[in-house]
PDB file of all heavy atoms in Angstrom:
ATOM      1  N   GLU A 668     109.627 104.851  93.955  1.00  0.00           N
ATOM      2  CA  GLU A 668     108.736 103.833  93.397  1.00  0.00           C
ATOM      3  C   GLU A 668     107.596 103.518  94.361  1.00  0.00           C
ATOM      4  O   GLU A 668     106.446 103.347  93.951  1.00  0.00           O
ATOM      5  CB  GLU A 668     109.530 102.548  93.105  1.00  0.00           C
ATOM      6  CG  GLU A 668     110.382 102.637  91.853  1.00  0.00           C
ATOM      7  CD  GLU A 668     111.241 101.387  91.673  1.00  0.00           C
ATOM      8  OE1 GLU A 668     110.873 100.321  92.223  1.00  0.00           O
ATOM      9  OE2 GLU A 668     112.266 101.474  90.993  1.00  0.00           O
ATOM     10  N   GLU A 669     107.916 103.430  95.643  1.00  0.00           N
ATOM     11  CA  GLU A 669     106.897 103.140  96.644  1.00  0.00           C
ATOM     12  C   GLU A 669     105.853 104.260  96.692  1.00  0.00           C
ATOM     13  O   GLU A 669     104.642 104.006  96.760  1.00  0.00           O
ATOM     14  CB  GLU A 669     107.563 102.991  98.022  1.00  0.00           C
ATOM     15  CG  GLU A 669     106.634 102.635  99.149  1.00  0.00           C
ATOM     16  CD  GLU A 669     106.047 101.239  99.051  1.00  0.00           C
ATOM     17  OE1 GLU A 669     106.579 100.411  98.271  1.00  0.00           O
ATOM     18  OE2 GLU A 669     105.036 100.989  99.708  1.00  0.00           O
ATOM     19  N   ASP A 670     106.321 105.524  96.613  1.00  0.00           N
ATOM     20  CA  ASP A 670     105.391 106.666  96.604  1.00  0.00           C
ATOM     21  C   ASP A 670     104.478 106.615  95.382  1.00  0.00           C
ATOM     22  O   ASP A 670     103.280 106.884  95.477  1.00  0.00           O
ATOM     23  CB  ASP A 670     106.167 107.987  96.630  1.00  0.00           C
ATOM     24  CG  ASP A 670     106.877 108.213  97.952  1.00  0.00           C
ATOM     25  OD1 ASP A 670     106.509 107.524  98.927  1.00  0.00           O
ATOM     26  OD2 ASP A 670     107.810 109.047  98.006  1.00  0.00           O
ATOM     27  N   GLN A 671     105.077 106.278  94.229  1.00  0.00           N
ATOM     28  CA  GLN A 671     104.284 106.198  92.999  1.00  0.00           C
ATOM     29  C   GLN A 671     103.247 105.085  93.088  1.00  0.00           C
ATOM     30  O   GLN A 671     102.103 105.243  92.650  1.00  0.00           O
ATOM     31  CB  GLN A 671     105.218 105.937  91.788  1.00  0.00           C
ATOM     32  CG  GLN A 671     106.100 107.107  91.423  1.00  0.00           C
ATOM     33  CD  GLN A 671     105.293 108.341  91.023  1.00  0.00           C
ATOM     34  OE1 GLN A 671     104.323 108.247  90.285  1.00  0.00           O
ATOM     35  NE2 GLN A 671     105.684 109.511  91.527  1.00  0.00           N
ATOM     36  N   ARG A 672     103.664 103.967  93.684  1.00  0.00           N
ATOM     37  CA  ARG A 672     102.738 102.836  93.832  1.00  0.00           C
ATOM     38  C   ARG A 672     101.563 103.219  94.733  1.00  0.00           C
ATOM     39  O   ARG A 672     100.403 102.919  94.442  1.00  0.00           O
ATOM     40  CB  ARG A 672     103.491 101.635  94.415  1.00  0.00           C
ATOM     41  CG  ARG A 672     102.677 100.338  94.451  1.00  0.00           C
ATOM     42  CD  ARG A 672     103.498  99.205  95.046  1.00  0.00           C
ATOM     43  NE  ARG A 672     103.775  99.417  96.442  1.00  0.00           N
ATOM     44  CZ  ARG A 672     102.911  99.192  97.431  1.00  0.00           C
ATOM     45  NH1 ARG A 672     101.700  98.759  97.168  1.00  0.00           N
ATOM     46  NH2 ARG A 672     103.247  99.397  98.693  1.00  0.00           N
ATOM     47  N   MET A 673     101.881 103.913  95.837  1.00  0.00           N
ATOM     48  CA  MET A 673     100.822 104.351  96.758  1.00  0.00           C
ATOM     49  C   MET A 673      99.863 105.315  96.061  1.00  0.00           C
ATOM     50  O   MET A 673      98.653 105.267  96.256  1.00  0.00           O
ATOM     51  CB  MET A 673     101.436 105.041  97.982  1.00  0.00           C
ATOM     52  CG  MET A 673     102.285 104.140  98.847  1.00  0.00           C
ATOM     53  SD  MET A 673     101.317 102.968  99.783  1.00  0.00           S
ATOM     54  CE  MET A 673     100.524 104.062 100.925  1.00  0.00           C
ATOM     55  N   LEU A 674     100.443 106.208  95.224  1.00  0.00           N
ATOM     56  CA  LEU A 674      99.621 107.184  94.505  1.00  0.00           C
ATOM     57  C   LEU A 674      98.674 106.479  93.534  1.00  0.00           C
ATOM     58  O   LEU A 674      97.488 106.811  93.442  1.00  0.00           O
ATOM     59  CB  LEU A 674     100.536 108.156  93.749  1.00  0.00           C
ATOM     60  CG  LEU A 674      99.886 109.409  93.185  1.00  0.00           C
ATOM     61  CD1 LEU A 674      99.348 110.286  94.304  1.00  0.00           C
ATOM     62  CD2 LEU A 674     100.885 110.193  92.351  1.00  0.00           C
ATOM     63  N   LYS A 675      99.211 105.465  92.823  1.00  0.00           N
ATOM     64  CA  LYS A 675      98.375 104.723  91.879  1.00  0.00           C
ATOM     65  C   LYS A 675      97.264 103.981  92.610  1.00  0.00           C
ATOM     66  O   LYS A 675      96.124 103.933  92.154  1.00  0.00           O
ATOM     67  CB  LYS A 675      99.234 103.730  91.098  1.00  0.00           C
ATOM     68  CG  LYS A 675     100.040 104.386  89.984  1.00  0.00           C
ATOM     69  CD  LYS A 675     100.868 103.349  89.252  1.00  0.00           C
ATOM     70  CE  LYS A 675     101.756 104.032  88.207  1.00  0.00           C
ATOM     71  NZ  LYS A 675     102.692 103.087  87.592  1.00  0.00           N
ATOM     72  N   GLU A 676      97.620 103.398  93.769  1.00  0.00           N
ATOM     73  CA  GLU A 676      96.605 102.675  94.556  1.00  0.00           C
ATOM     74  C   GLU A 676      95.495 103.619  95.008  1.00  0.00           C
ATOM     75  O   GLU A 676      94.322 103.283  94.982  1.00  0.00           O
ATOM     76  CB  GLU A 676      97.254 102.027  95.780  1.00  0.00           C
ATOM     77  CG  GLU A 676      97.874 100.684  95.481  1.00  0.00           C
ATOM     78  CD  GLU A 676      98.405 100.019  96.732  1.00  0.00           C
ATOM     79  OE1 GLU A 676      98.063 100.483  97.840  1.00  0.00           O
ATOM     80  OE2 GLU A 676      99.168  99.050  96.591  1.00  0.00           O
ATOM     81  N   LYS A 677      95.919 104.825  95.422  1.00  0.00           N
ATOM     82  CA  LYS A 677      94.941 105.817  95.881  1.00  0.00           C
ATOM     83  C   LYS A 677      94.015 106.217  94.730  1.00  0.00           C
ATOM     84  O   LYS A 677      92.804 106.326  94.898  1.00  0.00           O
ATOM     85  CB  LYS A 677      95.690 107.037  96.409  1.00  0.00           C
ATOM     86  CG  LYS A 677      94.819 108.038  97.129  1.00  0.00           C
ATOM     87  CD  LYS A 677      95.666 109.169  97.653  1.00  0.00           C
ATOM     88  CE  LYS A 677      94.797 110.272  98.250  1.00  0.00           C
ATOM     89  NZ  LYS A 677      95.579 111.428  98.660  1.00  0.00           N
TER      90      LYS A 677
END
Side-chain angles (χ1 to χ4, degrees):
E668 284 175 23
E669 182 68 16
D670 292 343
Q671 290 299 316
R672 187 180 67 79
M673 295 288 291
L674 192 64
K675 282 180 184 173
E676 276 185 13
K677 190 178 174 185

